[in-house]
Amino acid sequence: MSIFDNSLNADGALIVGAGLAGLFTALKLAPRPVTVLSPKPLGMGASSAWAQGGVAAAVGKGDSSHAHALDTEMAGAGIVDHGIAESVTAEAAARIEDLARWGTPFDRDDFGNYALGKEAAHSANRIVKVEGDRAGWAIMQAIIAEVRRTPSIRVVEGITALSLARDNGRIVGVFGRRLGDRYSEPVFIRARATVLAAGGLGGLYAVTTNPPGVRGHAMGMAARAGALIADAEFVQFHPTAIATGADPAPLATEALRGEGAILVNDLGERFMPAIHPDAELAPRDIVARANFRQIQSGRKVFLDTRQVLGADILTRFPTVAQYCLDAGIDPVAGMIPVTPAAHFHMGGVKVDERGRSSLPGLWVCGEASCTGLHGANRLASNSLLEATVYGARIAEDISGLEPVRSLLPFKGIEWDEAEGAKAEQVLRDLPAVQELRRVMTDLVGVERDATGLRAALRAIARLEATAEHVTSAYLNMTTSATLVAAAALKRTESRGGHFRTDFPQTDETWEHHTTMGLDEALAIRAGA
């Protein structure tokens, strides 16, 4: 029997991933039929639900989408696509209204206007938020409820996509299998339009704020199918993950620094004012490197919220407060220990302004994509905005190709939470995965150099060649790791989230995006 005989039909568009990008796309496609593949029950395992800050949108008095675009370009360190920044920020207000219409309880003042927060590198208060630090969770709850009410959306939980399927150069669906079932025959899910919205790659690093399943699978499977990857070297490290030793590391939102919280070391020294005029509200890459260097020198770093928030942190930032309390930290009386952690990937599958990849039949949105919006360093809270804007654009593009019709029955997979958790832990505990994560953190992390990057590429090649039971999931991880390290070795300068200690200056000849296929990345790896 051919693998194509063991197949299911998506009867329309197929969306891989059930975070904000995937579900927003599905809702915007209604009433056209769409099947959403989610490895876990909706709301579990998506980075979107963990987002604390909110959605950046110029909806306040005196603000403008043009000002938002300029801030985006400034944070992106010279390689943000101007037209993309202007068009995405111009759509922000409409996407906020979509989210509000679908039930997101955004914070509002007594007059019904959005209560806006401020985050690093924004020139105005423009973060539309929920209960201080619960925006991602609240948005996802509202979106999931709307998805459940929408008859044109069929959600299939418990299937993990492993590889993209190609036929005559076109993507025609995906191969997947039940989470944790490593040995059964993969199932082929056929689709006329495939949307990849399966997240970033933070889990390739030993210290990350991302959910455990976010390990570069989306970019890896797209690259293995032949898609072009852009800006893979640009990984954003959040400067203030809470240093509890947990994996993943809980996050202390940037909004705390927006409220006036300061960074100090264990000697009580506040170090950011000497590094950047915006001090703790400098762009994330600058704050992350400052914290990293303090820690490398033997110091510990703390976020001090006591003067600006005191006991109010318990009610205004309940998520952070609970993280602290769970770890035995009193955020009212004491300071919060923090460390940089892999947080967001500015790079990803290269797409155009409609979300189309270089492979016919494949659209990509959310963190898995590279739209040109983020450049070398994402502006805070632009990620959820990008997910909604491109979700809407992709839905409009596909709608011109897909007729309205009814979905055919499609048998789902019964979710077993215990088995799913066990499978996830088994992958995380594999010695090859643990070593890969250490290699990425030590050699392809906050600061890099040629010697370390070449060593990383050699280590990745060795791990790929010697790992037992090499699976598509593992190859997706090593593929993404290879692309990040190869692109970082190729870019001989420092810019945004990419810092080379052997090339510490920004070089104007590199003021452009990098685009790379897997063949080029493997050639760079072979020469390392």
Side-chain angles (χ1 to χ4, degrees):
M1 182 181 72
S2 164
I3 186 67
F4 285 89
D5 295 328
N6 185 26
S7 66
L8 299 169
N9 199 325
D11 305 316
L14 173 67
I15 297 175
V16 179
L20 177 59
L23 297 185
F24 198 95
T25 305
L27 286 170
K28 281 294 187 178
L29 274 166
R32 287 169 174 79
V34 58
T35 298
V36 178
L37 294 187
S38 177
K40 295 184 177 183
L42 291 186
M44 293 176 59
S47 296
S48 304
W50 292 25
Q52 292 181 10
V55 187
V59 294
K61 185 177 180 181
D63 199 6
S64 69
S65 61
H66 178 63
H68 184 182
L70 291 179
D71 289 346
T72 298
E73 293 181 54
M74 183 67 69
I79 61 168
V80 170
D81 288 344
H82 174 76
I84 294 295
E86 290 283 358
S87 67
V88 169
T89 56
E91 290 183 42
R95 301 291 77 85
I96 291 291
E97 289 308 306
D98 285 333
L99 294 172
R101 186 176 71 254
W102 290 329
T104 302
F106 289 120
D107 294 347
R108 298 179 186 263
D109 61 22
D110 293 339
F111 301 98
N113 302 311
Y114 294 118
L116 303 173
K118 188 174 183 182
E119 292 185 341
H122 284 274
S123 60
N125 285 39
R126 65 167 69 99
I127 311 304
V128 188
K129 51 195 177 63
V130 181
E131 295 181 36
D133 62 3
R134 292 168 64 85
W137 181 88
I139 289 170
M140 286 299 292
Q141 294 308 303
I143 289 288
I144 288 168
E146 187 67 20
V147 165
R148 298 291 193 198
R149 291 191 291 265
T150 304
S152 61
I153 300 174
R154 175 175 53 196
V155 178
V156 181
E157 297 170 338
I159 290 184
T160 298
L162 301 172
S163 304
L164 295 170
R166 292 184 67 175
D167 186 22
N168 293 322
R170 182 178 180 84
I171 299 301
V172 293
V174 302
F175 294 107
R177 60 162 48 99
R178 181 175 175 172
L179 185 65
D181 190 348
R182 297 171 60 190
Y183 303 109
S184 67
E185 192 82 351
V187 62
F188 169 51
I189 303 173
R190 187 185 304 275
R192 278 178 288 275
T194 301
V195 181
L196 190 56
L201 49 68
L204 290 179
Y205 289 83
V207 183
T208 179
T209 63
N210 288 187
V214 180
R215 297 190 182 97
H217 296 310
M219 187 173 82
M221 73 173 78
R224 289 171 57 221
L228 291 176
I229 307 301
D231 295 349
E233 64 271 33
F234 293 116
V235 179
Q236 185 174 79
F237 294 85
H238 200 290
T240 55
I242 304 174
T244 65
D247 181 21
L251 181 65
T253 174
E254 195 161 279
L256 292 164
R257 284 175 283 135
E259 293 290 331
I262 61 172
L263 290 163
V264 298
N265 62 24
D266 52 357
L267 300 177
E269 299 167 338
R270 185 184 179 195
F271 49 87
M272 282 308 304
I275 293 172
H276 194 277
D278 292 335
E280 282 80 6
L281 291 179
R284 283 181 174 173
D285 64 301
I286 293 172
V287 183
R289 283 197 298 277
N291 287 354
F292 174 79
R293 289 170 180 172
Q294 287 283 326
I295 294 168
Q296 288 293 100
S297 71
R299 302 266 60 89
K300 295 180 180 179
V301 177
F302 298 89
L303 185 65
D304 190 351
T305 68
R306 294 174 296 181
Q307 292 299 313
V308 294
L309 287 171
D312 286 348
I313 192 173
L314 301 175
T315 54
R316 292 184 59 193
F317 297 92
T319 304
V320 174
Q322 192 60 55
Y323 285 150
C324 290
L325 295 172
D326 289 345
I329 301 164
D330 182 352
V332 177
M335 298 186 294
I336 304 170
V338 294
T339 185
H343 183 61
F344 187 87
H345 191 209
M346 280 77 73
V349 184
K350 180 179 175 62
V351 298
D352 65 12
E353 68 279 359
R354 296 171 294 180
R356 293 186 178 191
S357 76
S358 60
L359 298 176
L362 180 67
W363 289 256
V364 189
C365 63
E367 195 174 348
S369 69
C370 183
T371 66
L373 175 67
H374 303 307
N377 192 36
R378 174 179 66 100
L379 182 66
S381 290
N382 266 358
S383 53
L384 298 186
L385 171 62
E386 179 190 47
T388 60
V389 168
Y390 275 83
R393 290 181 180 184
I394 289 170
E396 182 178 6
D397 199 33
I398 292 175
S399 292
L401 307 174
E402 280 296 309
V404 177
R405 60 182 178 277
S406 298
L407 281 166
L408 298 175
F410 189 108
K411 183 175 176 58
I413 305 296
E414 184 178 349
W415 171 254
D416 185 321
E417 185 172 352
E419 285 299 313
K422 179 181 177 182
E424 197 167 69
Q425 191 63 44
V426 166
L427 181 60
R428 197 187 321 186
D429 289 345
L430 287 174
V433 171
Q434 292 181 341
E435 185 174 353
L436 177 64
R437 296 179 74 192
R438 286 194 297 271
V439 165
M440 292 299 287
T441 291
D442 293 344
L443 303 177
V444 199
V446 177
E447 295 186 347
R448 301 109 177 240
D449 62 30
T451 300
L453 291 168
R454 290 193 179 97
L457 287 165
R458 292 194 299 270
I460 296 164
R462 173 178 54 79
L463 288 169
E464 193 175 282
T466 61
E468 294 183 13
H469 307 300
V470 174
T471 63
S472 293
Y474 184 68
L475 285 176
N476 289 337
M477 294 175 64
T478 57
T479 295
S480 286
T482 296
L483 284 157
V484 174
L489 182 60
K490 184 176 180 180
R491 183 178 283 273
T492 52
E493 65 152 359
S494 291
R495 184 182 298 271
H498 168 70
F499 190 85
R500 291 276 300 262
T501 56
D502 50 349
F503 292 96
Q505 303 302 317
T506 299
D507 182 347
E508 65 179 12
T509 63
W510 277 103
E511 197 167 286
H512 58 79
H513 299 287
T514 52
T515 301
M516 184 178 292
L518 181 56
D519 286 347
E520 181 182 354
L522 291 175
I524 293 172
R525 190 173 81 176

